[in-house]
Amino acid sequence: MRRCSLVVVGIAGLVVVGGLGLVGAQQAQPITVTCPTQSLQKAIDGATPGAEITVTGTCKENLYITKGLTLRAGTPGATLSSPTPYLPVVAVNGKSLLLVRLLGVTITGGDRGVITINKNAEVVLDQVTVKENIWGGVLVADGSAAIRNSTISNTGVGVAVLDRAEITNNTIKDNRGCGVWAVSKAQGWAVDAQVSGSGNTMGNNAGGDLC
């Protein structure tokens, strides 16, 4: 294992990258969901933007989020699990400016654990375990992600960044692809991904720790 600081644009060069400018969530009534007897997706659909949803048990659903909210583990081992390996466990679509926070949960069983879609999507993962997803742990396809104090392991690419990410104080190990992959113009992409962070422990990633 090695400790890594991430201040990169793709793989081509090293630059200092500014903060993510995450949008603050509105206050709303807390909601509790007990899986599998209740549907987390139904609670998400009915929640007010800015709501906090406390999750217990194992929720076997493919979650699609289009509003700002928080999903928080109510008990140790609270799990978001895809019923199929062909879809992401959590897809965040920023059709309008939103912040989604995933706190303390385990995310497993999908083609990817978490994917962001559209430039307005901003996601925070804190004290999250992302494991055993087919293609990857976190895909920042558009928008931004802040990944902190989390473990990403036994998946495809640990974190793939096509836009912006801050990756701090995580353990990223034992993945079948890269630990962190940031696209770059040097790789033939149209953009250089922006990735910053420090204090990450990385090792035994088959494609390399940083790509």
Side-chain angles (χ1 to χ4, degrees):
M1 296 289 182
R2 61 173 181 148
R3 300 283 284 181
C4 294
S5 294
L6 301 168
V7 191
V8 305
V9 168
I11 199 171
L14 300 179
V15 299
V16 176
V17 177
L20 292 175
L22 295 169
V23 176
Q26 303 171 27
Q27 295 297 314
Q29 283 294 107
I31 301 166
T32 299
V33 173
T34 302
C35 294
T37 56
Q38 295 176 295
S39 167
L40 180 53
Q41 182 67 62
K42 185 175 179 179
I44 290 169
D45 293 344
T48 302
E52 179 169 306
I53 301 175
T54 300
V55 181
T56 62
T58 297
C59 305
K60 281 189 163 291
E61 300 177 78
N62 299 107
L63 302 175
Y64 186 68
I65 303 174
T66 59
K67 66 184 73 171
L69 51 75
T70 297
L71 300 182
R72 182 187 297 273
T75 55
T79 299
L80 312 180
S81 178
S82 174
T84 171
Y86 305 111
L87 293 171
V89 184
V90 180
V92 177
N93 191 339
K95 295 178 180 179
S96 58
L97 194 62
L98 60 82
L99 167 63
V100 172
R101 300 190 301 160
L102 306 173
L103 308 178
V105 294
T106 294
I107 299 173
T108 188
D111 67 346
R112 291 178 175 85
V114 180
I115 180 171
T116 65
I117 307 165
N118 283 328
K119 289 288 186 182
N120 290 317
E122 301 190 5
V123 179
V124 173
L125 286 77
D126 200 341
Q127 300 185 51
V128 169
T129 298
V130 183
K131 65 178 183 178
E132 297 168 4
N133 297 284
I134 300 300
W135 293 110
V138 179
L139 171 60
V140 188
D142 280 305
S144 60
I147 306 170
R148 304 165 183 155
N149 311 308
S150 296
T151 298
I152 300 173
S153 64
N154 296 299
T155 187
V157 175
V159 181
V161 185
L162 283 70
D163 203 335
R164 293 164 290 140
E166 176 242 311
I167 304 171
T168 304
N169 296 332
N170 303 287
T171 298
I172 303 173
K173 65 176 184 176
D174 301 330
N175 293 294
R176 295 183 297 278
C178 300
V180 176
W181 174 47
V183 304
S184 69
K185 293 176 182 177
Q187 298 170 340
W189 293 81
V191 297
D192 288 320
Q194 299 177 354
V195 183
S196 65
S198 62
N200 298 289
T201 300
M202 307 180 72
N204 198 34
N205 295 295
D209 291 338
L210 304 175
C211 305

